[in-house]
Amino acid sequence: MSKIDFSKREILKYVGDFTQLFGVKEYTLNGGRSQGVRAVDIKNGSGLEFTVLPDRCLDIAWLSYKGNNISYISKTGIVSPQYYNESGINFFRSFHAGFLTTCGLMNVGSPCSDNGEIFGLHGRISNTPGENVYSDIEWVDEKPVIRVKGRMREARVFGENMILERQITCKCGENKLIIEDKTENLGFRKEPLMILYHFNLGYPLLDEDAILLAPTKELKPRDDDAQKGAENYTVFQKPTPEYKEQVFYHDLKADVNGNTYVALINEKLELGISIGFNKNELFNLTQWKMMGEGEYVLGIEPCNCYVSGREEAMAKGLVEYMEPGEIRRFRIEAEILDGPEQISKVKEEISKL
């Protein structure tokens, strides 16, 4: 694809339909608990392919680059929101993980209660189907850009009225996708806002040769299990029997505008991925290190909260609120690092932060 001029008329000299090279494919999953889940496959023409699930908050399931898998899919597989049970930790029965699972908007982390309302693990939004979903190729300055967008609603009579609008953009010929979210409080009282972007990286990108790069200025282990692994949070091991998850909070360095990013690289594969965000929007990075057999995953999770749950966060005064009518925006960029040159460049840039 790098030899082809990405202009509309030039491409049409070679193909009858653009989907020969890049584009979107909409379909519905069939069978088992995935029955009826809408899916959108994106192929950007230079090796980046991923699947958006409109019925699961427009989250991203599979993601690969030139045939190399980047994401992690859990043992549950894709689960329709009709099977979602929010009580306690039943979230795990619907947690396919994928490249991205969005957590929130009313709770992130541990199950808890607030004024008599029960909140399950990681909130409801990842099991909320999108409305007004759109996916297509758009031509910007005669160059193809793929967009998928939609809106999720978290609302309750006598309760909150919150909207999450999402747009995922991927330019053809680039190895990057951009997630732009807009949350809006449509209600008439201030509401807590807890949001966590649960990016899940898996094998073969993640293995014992992989390294986490992060401009960490302070690391806080969540508990005793994490404390035991604090010295080795950047490195990984082979799948380990009876492994107990380790969770770390990172206070990252950022540039003058608040921009920062982390990366997982595998120099043996000459492959990596960086995830960039703004600390003025998402002040915390949670790292989930799980090296278990069959549950082998690294979670890179930019967020505006911690994962101890809403109740504890409120008690400690750590909850962010949205005023009636307030709009808040979040932007995250995920970029594939292809080859030693790109990996070295990211290493240098992170070291400068």
Side-chain angles (χ1 to χ4, degrees), residues 262-279:
V262 299
L264 180 70
I265 62 169
N266 191 317
E267 295 194 77
K268 188 173 182 179
L269 296 179
E270 298 185 343
L271 184 65
I273 187 168
S274 67
I275 296 175
F277 59 99
N278 192 290
K279 283 191 67 178

Side-chain angles (χ1 to χ4, degrees), residues 209-216 234 253 261-268 270-275 335 337-353:
D209 296 309
I211 298 175
L212 177 69
L213 302 178
T216 302
T234 63
K253 301 174 185 177
Y261 57 98
V262 299
L264 180 70
I265 62 169
N266 191 317
E267 295 194 77
K268 188 173 182 179
E270 298 185 343
L271 184 65
I273 187 168
S274 67
I275 296 175
E335 183 171 8
L337 309 174
D338 184 2
E341 184 176 340
Q342 291 185 12
I343 289 173
S344 295
K345 183 180 178 181
V346 165
K347 281 183 175 181
E348 182 179 352
E349 291 177 351
I350 288 179
S351 68
K352 290 179 180 179
L353 287 177

Side-chain angles (χ1 to χ4, degrees), residues 55 83 170 172 188 259 295 300 326 339 351:
D55 287 330
Y83 297 106
C170 181
C172 296
F188 294 90
N259 296 312
E295 292 169 337
I300 295 177
E326 183 180 351
S351 68

Side-chain angles (χ1 to χ4, degrees), residues 76-314:
T76 71
I78 308 302
V79 179
S80 169
Q82 68 176 311
Y83 297 106
Y84 173 55
N85 179 347
E86 70 176 284
S87 64
I89 60 171
N90 282 306
F91 170 90
F92 283 134
R93 296 194 176 276
S94 299
F95 180 50
H96 64 263
F99 179 65
L100 170 64
T101 291
T102 308
C103 302
L105 297 171
M106 297 288 104
N107 184 54
V108 165
S110 301
C112 59
S113 63
D114 179 33
N115 289 325
E117 184 175 2
I118 304 299
F119 296 93
L121 180 69
H122 281 325
R124 311 176 185 96
I125 199 66
S126 70
N127 283 274
T128 300
E131 306 170 11
N132 303 112
V133 175
Y134 162 93
S135 64
D136 206 353
I137 302 169
E138 299 178 358
W139 293 85
V140 180
D141 298 326
E142 284 297 297
K143 303 296 182 181
V145 178
I146 299 172
R147 298 192 200 279
V148 183
K149 55 186 177 181
R151 179 175 65 240
M152 282 62 65
R153 183 192 309 264
E154 185 160 351
R156 178 175 67 87
V157 175
F158 305 131
E160 72 279 356
N161 188 8
M162 301 283 284
I163 293 292
L164 172 64
E165 294 185 6
R166 170 164 293 171
Q167 176 174 271
I168 301 172
T169 305
C170 181
K171 292 183 179 180
C172 296
E174 292 187 359
N175 298 321
K176 179 191 296 186
L177 62 92
I178 300 173
I179 300 165
E180 295 173 289
D181 283 355
K182 181 178 81 171
T183 57
E184 183 173 4
N185 182 1
L186 296 180
F188 294 90
R189 67 183 192 190
K190 73 175 184 178
E191 295 288 353
L193 175 65
M194 302 182 74
I195 190 164
L196 179 145
Y197 294 86
H198 210 300
F199 291 98
N200 306 290
L201 308 179
Y203 180 83
L205 177 63
L206 177 70
D207 68 9
E208 58 270 25
D209 296 309
I211 298 175
L212 177 69
L213 302 178
T216 302
K217 59 183 179 181
E218 185 179 7
L219 182 79
K220 294 182 179 179
R222 181 185 65 173
D223 52 25
D224 291 340
D225 289 321
Q227 185 65 55
K228 295 174 184 177
E231 293 184 359
N232 298 308
Y233 73 90
T234 63
V235 297
F236 305 94
Q237 62 205 64
K238 292 183 177 181
T240 304
E242 305 299 326
Y243 186 91
K244 293 184 178 180
E245 65 177 1
Q246 297 179 359
V247 176
F248 308 97
Y249 299 127
H250 293 252
D251 184 8
L252 299 181
K253 301 174 185 177
D255 66 18
V256 293
N257 297 312
N259 296 312
T260 189
Y261 57 98
V262 299
L264 180 70
I265 62 169
N266 191 317
E267 295 194 77
K268 188 173 182 179
L269 296 179
E270 298 185 343
L271 184 65
I273 187 168
S274 67
I275 296 175
F277 59 99
N278 192 290
K279 283 191 67 178
N280 297 325
E281 300 169 354
L282 302 161
F283 72 87
N284 181 38
L285 176 76
T286 299
Q287 176 192 351
W288 176 43
K289 182 179 177 181
M290 183 60 207
M291 301 281 97
E293 295 177 312
E295 292 169 337
Y296 191 76
V297 54
L298 170 67
I300 295 177
E301 306 165 16
C303 49
N304 75 336
C305 55
Y306 298 96
V307 295
S308 53
R310 167 172 166 151
E311 184 178 19
E312 180 175 319
M314 285 186 163

